[in-house]
Amino acid sequence: MAMNRVQFQKGLSLPDFLQRFGTEEQCATALESARWPDGFHCPHCEGTRHSVLKGGSRKTFQCSHCRHQTSLIAGTLFQGTRLPLILWFLAIYLISQAKTGMSALALSRQLGVSYPTAWRIHHKLMQSMLEREALYTLQGSVQADDAYLGGERSGGKPGRGSENKMPFVAAVSVDEQEHPIYARFTVIKGFTGLAIADWARTTLDKKCQVLTDGLPCFNGIADAGRGHAVIVSGGRKPKDLPQFGWVNTVLGNLKTSLSGAYHAFKFRKYAQRYLSTVTYRFNRRFNLATLPMSLLRAAINTGPRPEHWLRSAESSC
């Protein structure tokens, strides 16, 4: 059997990572370069002339035009952190290179930090993945299906009415050769026509053509002005419906990823973050070696996300 070039790509080895980002100075230089690839730009007036102030553990830049001062991490996901940058870079490396993701508990052991600290790092980086994924829409031919995250609780409601289950839509865009391009997992309030129409407007390009099964709520796709075709599954097994092959495959990969990395998490509160980390890695699967820098840039552009926001930000996820 031929080797799968995605599965067996080289990636970024730990020795290579440590050679590039093994010191605090190297991490600071990489962060500065990623934040201002064309040189410093004042976040207040966009001026480029500046001076660097000495003192403290990190650089402080002062704009020569408006005199505004900003540190290297101000306005980024790292704002307010007391951790060395090398720990943040190592967390970015571990999370981006792990095939099935990495739990906060595993991260705490790898970084040598407490579990609460690892939880904050983990959720901040997941939030940056979520916000980056939300910028893109699926185009062309799209396969979509309904799914639930979580299981039934003992003594709770059975089936789809379980309090621990979160409904979400799985969608995969495919090319002319039926190869997967991008995937999106999107939490919705319920499988209603209105919810699906809202999902279609924010997730699908206006010119795409979506294929779904016969679930009535998917009629909301046409209501949102997107092309919609239906193949009624009629209780047939996934193997008997090759038209939905890739959306079923990515759902299977999602189950493997979550069960392999996490014992449990609050599905109703943090579902979208965990789902977005899976699609973030999937959508960049051809460039494993560049994933750490990709995630670093996402963290820079995310902005500050303090813990109280992370724990109460379900409405924004």
Side-chain angles (χ1 to χ4, degrees):
M1 180 181 294
M3 293 175 63
N4 185 302
R5 67 187 183 95
V6 176
Q7 298 293 337
F8 287 90
Q9 63 180 297
K10 184 177 180 180
L12 180 64
S13 69
L14 183 56
D16 288 342
F17 168 81
L18 293 175
Q19 185 177 17
R20 293 176 58 186
F21 310 110
T23 68
E24 192 73 6
E25 184 178 357
Q26 286 177 311
C27 292
T29 300
L31 178 56
E32 182 179 344
S33 178
R35 185 175 185 184
W36 297 302
D38 299 319
F40 173 82
H41 281 71
C42 176
H44 186 258
C45 73
E46 290 297 319
T48 57
R49 293 183 58 195
H50 68 283
S51 56
V52 179
L53 306 181
K54 296 181 179 180
S57 59
R58 299 189 181 98
K59 288 182 180 180
T60 297
F61 300 83
Q62 179 171 291
C63 177
S64 299
H65 180 261
C66 69
R67 316 299 291 179
H68 178 78
Q69 294 182 1
T70 183
S71 72
L72 185 59
I73 63 174
T76 73
L77 189 74
F78 313 114
Q79 179 173 306
T81 185
R82 297 180 180 178
L83 294 173
L85 287 177
I86 190 172
L87 285 184
W88 278 100
F89 272 64
L90 184 55
I92 287 173
Y93 169 79
L94 293 172
I95 290 174
S96 65
Q97 299 295 294
K99 180 176 173 58
T100 59
M102 176 168 285
S103 68
L105 181 59
L107 191 63
S108 71
R109 291 169 178 164
Q110 294 285 348
L111 299 181
V113 298
S114 67
Y115 177 79
T117 297
W119 187 95
R120 286 192 295 271
I121 294 172
H122 189 220
H123 276 259
K124 284 186 177 187
L125 292 176
M126 286 199 298
Q127 181 64 26
S128 67
M129 295 184 200
L130 184 159
E131 295 185 27
R132 177 62 67 174
E133 287 298 279
L135 297 175
Y136 306 109
T137 57
L138 296 179
Q139 301 180 358
S141 298
V142 177
Q143 303 171 10
D145 199 5
D146 58 300
Y148 284 88
L149 188 65
E152 298 176 4
R153 286 178 174 170
S154 178
K157 294 181 181 179
R160 294 192 172 194
S162 172
E163 304 90 338
N164 196 42
K165 285 189 174 183
M166 278 300 294
F168 71 95
V169 178
V172 181
S173 61
V174 296
D175 60 20
E176 295 179 354
Q177 289 74 41
E178 294 297 316
H179 296 152
I181 307 173
Y182 298 112
R184 286 285 297 273
F185 297 141
T186 310
V187 172
I188 59 176
K189 294 181 179 179
F191 289 113
T192 65
L194 182 61
I196 293 297
D198 290 340
W199 165 80
R201 293 187 188 97
T202 58
T203 308
L204 305 174
D205 181 77
K206 292 182 179 179
K207 297 181 180 180
C208 72
Q209 182 69 29
V210 188
L211 180 66
T212 70
D213 59 19
L215 198 65
C217 67
F218 282 123
N219 292 329
I221 295 174
D223 296 338
R226 275 62 173 173
H228 183 215
V230 176
I231 295 179
V232 179
S233 60
R236 286 178 287 176
K237 296 181 178 180
K239 64 182 181 65
D240 298 322
L241 292 165
Q243 300 90 340
F244 298 103
W246 277 113
V247 71
N248 288 327
T249 297
V250 297
L251 280 171
N253 291 343
L254 170 68
K255 181 178 179 181
T256 299
S257 177
L258 295 181
S259 62
Y262 310 107
H263 177 67
F265 57 87
K266 294 180 179 179
F267 297 108
R268 285 204 167 271
K269 193 170 186 181
Y270 303 123
Q272 190 60 67
R273 282 190 200 142
Y274 284 89
L275 292 174
S276 294
T277 61
V278 176
T279 55
Y280 185 91
R281 289 192 301 270
F282 178 84
N283 293 340
R284 293 157 183 80
R285 63 196 179 279
F286 296 111
N287 300 294
L288 187 60
T290 64
L291 257 178
M293 290 305 296
S294 174
L295 184 50
L296 174 64
R297 290 189 293 269
I300 291 171
N301 293 319
T302 298
R305 295 293 182 265
E307 182 174 358
H308 68 84
W309 188 94
L310 291 170
R311 292 188 178 276
S312 61
E314 175 57 22
S315 60
S316 65
C317 296

